[in-house]
Amino acid sequence: MPDAHPIRRRLLLAGTAGAAATVVLPSTGRAASLVHPVIDSCADWNARPPARTIGVLRTNPNKIVIHHTVTANTDDLSRGQAHAHARRVQNLHMDGNGWSDTGYHFVVSRGGWITEGRHHSLATLTTGTGLVLGAHTAGGRQNFEAIAISNEGSYHAGATPPDLQWGSLTLLCAHVCARYGIPPTEIYGHRDFNSTQCPGVFHALLPRLRTEVATTLAEATTPRPLSTAPDTSPADDTPQRGTLVHRRPDDG
């Protein structure tokens, strides 16, 4: 049965309708209007409370670091699976690694669902000020400087991220770049800073990711005429003209 309220992510052009946040792109100085991606909070997926106080820095992040979770490449693309996976990652990081909470700021499921990882990450992203101190890259420095986005699955040689996951990752990165004024060139992989195979094949895809994030941001600054004809399309089914839409599967 189709979802009664399809979940979509939209990048709206400046001047179109929507609950959008206006930001200035660092490369152009032009205003862009980005609708927030759909991100399920820690409360949404029933996260455990942190074991210790989570530090929130006053400084903003200057880069994004991409990871993979090295979990099963499931065919379950549902929201429920994304939430269950978020809980497994948190349990591993807290009980196995002894950390205070999930190490990553956000996790993108194979079905394209985005979940908040470390508590308070969504709040700081929404305001575009401050950075939650992470636990995602050994050595410490990047935990003070970077937003960590991990991808559900094991992406060793031969594995390919599903289109839904890739689309959500691209739009989340674009949103993070816009909120914090981070250039798309400042998107890296975990192995750029540590001796690790993480993020697997995503590392070879980083040039494509940077390009697609830059294109997504550029779309927000390119004026396009909107139709003045009456909208007779079904509610929540057909996007407005002038929008980029990424659809996810029905919540199974």
Side-chain angles (χ1 to χ4, degrees):
M1 178 179 178
D3 193 334
H5 182 66
I7 295 179
R8 302 178 300 205
R9 296 176 180 81
R10 290 179 179 173
L11 177 71
L12 294 187
L13 304 177
T16 60
T22 300
V23 297
V24 176
L25 303 183
S27 59
T28 65
R30 292 179 291 178
S33 187
L34 275 172
V35 169
H36 293 282
V38 177
I39 302 174
D40 288 345
S41 69
C42 289
D44 290 329
W45 56 267
N46 196 30
R48 295 161 57 181
R52 295 177 293 280
T53 300
I54 300 296
V56 180
L57 308 175
R58 294 184 179 181
T59 53
N60 285 356
N62 57 23
K63 64 176 70 68
I64 296 171
V65 177
I66 304 299
H67 300 257
H68 67 157
T69 62
V70 198
T71 50
N73 290 340
T74 178
D75 292 328
D76 185 348
L77 306 182
S78 70
R79 192 177 202 172
Q81 161 61 22
H83 289 188
H85 175 260
R87 289 189 289 270
R88 285 195 295 273
V89 170
Q90 186 189 42
N91 289 339
L92 172 63
H93 286 188
M94 293 179 69
D95 301 334
N97 297 354
W99 297 345
S100 57
D101 198 0
T102 301
Y104 316 119
H105 296 96
F106 301 99
V107 179
V108 183
S109 80
R110 283 175 58 83
W113 302 92
I114 303 172
T115 52
E116 180 183 26
R118 183 158 284 222
H119 283 76
H120 312 307
S121 298
L122 182 54
T124 53
L125 175 61
T126 298
T127 61
T129 56
L131 170 66
V132 172
L133 179 61
H136 53 87
T137 305
R141 178 177 174 182
Q142 301 312 321
N143 296 323
F144 288 82
E145 296 184 355
I147 289 283
I149 300 175
S150 197
N151 296 274
E152 178 190 14
S154 297
Y155 292 101
H156 304 297
T160 302
D163 290 343
L164 288 165
Q165 185 176 46
W166 180 263
S168 290
L169 174 63
T170 300
L171 287 175
L172 177 58
C173 286
H175 185 62
V176 171
C177 286
R179 293 304 297 163
Y180 286 113
I182 300 173
T185 52
E186 295 301 304
I187 300 175
Y188 298 93
H190 186 184
R191 74 171 68 172
D192 288 320
F193 305 104
N194 291 142
S195 178
T196 176
Q197 293 301 306
C198 181
V201 298
F202 277 98
H203 197 268
L205 294 171
L206 288 176
R208 174 186 165 191
L209 180 60
R210 296 181 189 116
T211 297
E212 293 187 11
V213 169
T215 299
T216 299
L217 291 171
E219 287 284 344
T221 64
T222 305
R224 294 181 181 178
L226 298 179
S227 173
T228 57
D231 184 4
T232 59
S233 59
D236 289 319
D237 184 50
T238 303
Q240 300 175 45
R241 293 179 62 188
T243 66
L244 294 178
V245 177
H246 175 61
R247 298 181 183 276
R248 291 189 296 204
D250 299 333
D251 182 7

